[in-house]
Amino acid sequence: MTNEVKLNTDKMLEDLLAMCRKNLRTVDEKLITKAFNLSHEAHQNDIRISGKPYFTHPYEVAMFVAEEIPLDDISVVGALLHDVVEDTGISIKFLRTEFGDEVADIVDGVTKIGGVFAGHEITQAENYRKMLLSMVKDIRVILVKSADRLHNMRTLDHLRPDKQRRIAKETLELYAPFANRFGLGRVKWELEDLAFKFLNKEAYNEIARKIILKRNEREAYINIFKEPIAKKLKDHGLEFEIGGRPKHLYSIYRKMIKLNASFEEIYDLLAVRIILESNDDNECFYVLGVINQMYKPISERFKDYISIPKKNNYQSIHNTVIGPDGKVVEIQIRTRKMHEIAERGVAAHWKYKESLTSTDADLADWVNWIRDAFENASKNEATKEILASFKLNLYQDEIYVFTPNGDLKRLPRNSTPVDFAYEIHSNIGFHCIGAKVNGRIVPLDTRLNSGDQVEIITSKNQSPNKSWLRFVTTHKAKADIRKFLNRAEEKLVETGRELWIKKIKKLKLVFTSEDISKLSRKLKYDNPGQFYRDIALDKLNLDDVLSPEETKDEQAVPELEFDKFADQERKKIGNVIVDEEHKGIATSFAKCCNPIPGDPIIGFITIGEGIKIHKKDCKNLISMAQTHSDRLVPVEWPHANGSMFAAGINLSGEDVPGILKDISNSITTYKNTNIKAVNINAVDSIFEGTVTVYVNDIEHLNRLMERLKNLKSVYHVERFEHNKQ
Ligand code: MN
């Protein structure tokens, strides 16, 4: 190439090795040199869109890994080689023999991520799935990929605007939250600010301009603010660094949007950071005490992330005080080590030669969860849903709550007891039926707050409810509930299908799958699955479906029949008589006890509906009368038809020959009682039915019932009445 910039590769390699020696515990210089040379040679004929030799890209990525997120030499080698498989003819197999499995796997992971996105629709669930899976296989894939993305974002200017937007959006939605989750604070901030720049240039430039305008004023104030603190801390012999904390453009922008505030309102919140050169966490609290003596603290804003670190291991004290001139100043207090972890996340742990801490175990859990969720999600549909909640969760703030034993659980903001239950164990979630928060029983959709102590009440018989999906927050709860519901649904469909097959076998019918589709459509189902489901739920009567022309079973429905009967008898006898004082007020019959002529009755004055007539022994009436006895009104049935009224008697017994005759004899031979109607059905050897008779009064009716009870084959006798109070 004629326009090729001549690279000083000797110096480049020496710089890289020097950086590795400075930041890494062990450096395989031979391996790094070998990777450097291979990468340089492989990319020799490629140039970037910027016009620079392509090799500058993997080199810068490797340099960033060695300098900013140093983990080990393998990561640096991986960074140098991360594009050789995708862009040149070199195979993973070759890398495996030349550089070993670790390097080959890292390059393979990073390559897969790149391949997934090259020119494709980035929001496709399947692509995310692949990416997440390769990312979580080896944490170093994340380091290299983050550094790769950062360098690409830094050099994004040279791309077409539509490509810029696509890559920026993806960076903001996925890479930045990912970097944050792995504790790569500095990478996260820069990715966000760069993405913001390409997605909303106007807002970005406006904020950047205003920051420059305010810089001097701001620095002057911070100097005034920090001076007495610095002096005091020095007097106490502490070694520390204190200074204004840079505010990131995107975070200012986001706060402006979220709080609907102006730039000034957000930016005037001044931020100071104190980093202690000490290994003693307690010194942070000591410094806090010094500051709070000097400036008045706003205690509601105090946060102690030292005692309770964030999920990504972040530790610091956040304190807010009122500074000179009444300005609000936020102060972060942390040790150097905490600061390293805040900026470099997982990479910092290696530097401090740490073994796994509890929060690293959290990270391992989280990584396992991703692997689980995405590897098992076979259907594209389900993956989409998991991803939606997953992406949401990446952004959310955390709350921390406690188990009854005092164990800490971190959850996204807006989590509920159901989220908490699933966080402890899927089985607790599945069977959770209630919850106590700080000792009090609360509804399952209650939003939890930091500091809450949560106890879950479970029941063997409980199972997840569809409505839970409306309020749960964590991806774990959502995925588990959905999984359960899908399984339950499948089971229902299966049961329904079995019932259906049994039925048509019995009736010797033949249905093709075409016929079944037709039938389900005719019955207004979207698919046969829903048809089977309703069969299983007993919502669909197969006899009706299979023989629609067959006349409906005309068995009496007592509830409805009785209403009709009562209505008819009341009409026949005429209006109830109300006492003089309340004459003229409209009357109607209470639905709760539905009195019929002959029942002892009483009126109750309602608000707006006149007088309701109840049976004297109506439970509703008795309870209302306890507080409103003044509203009771004496009423009685009109004395027409020689005081005869119709009453129904339900009876059942053994269906022996002549039973109907025995029953009617028993009735008519007593006081010449007239039978109005008889409706008796026999099934197998049992009969049951209703006899309607004309009686003078309740006494008369009771006697008849006694007589019926005395019949040998009659087992049960009761008044046909509306007694479901
Ligand atoms: Mn790259």
Side-chain angles (χ1 to χ4, degrees), residues 54 57 82-83 148 152:
Y54 194 91
H57 169 67
H82 82 268
D83 275 335
D148 175 41
N152 284 333

Side-chain angles (χ1 to χ4, degrees), residues 415-419 421 432-435 442-447 456-457 462 468 471-472:
S415 287
T416 63
V418 176
D419 293 297
C432 102
I433 195 163
V442 299
L444 285 176
D445 61 354
T446 305
R447 302 284 175 211
I456 297 298
I457 304 157
Q462 173 75 328
W468 290 4
F471 60 76
V472 294

Side-chain angles (χ1 to χ4, degrees), residues 472-484:
V472 294
T473 298
T474 57
H475 36 68
K476 184 169 187 334
K478 275 189 187 160
D480 277 358
I481 294 168
R482 238 179 239 126
K483 222 191 263 173
F484 178 90

Side-chain angles (χ1 to χ4, degrees), residues 48 54 57-58 61 79 82-83 86-87 110 144-145 147-149 151-152:
R48 301 203 94 206
Y54 194 91
H57 169 67
V61 173
H82 82 268
D83 275 335
E86 201 187 344
D87 298 343
V110 178
V144 174
K145 192 65 204 175
D148 175 41
R149 177 48 61 115
H151 188 249
N152 284 333

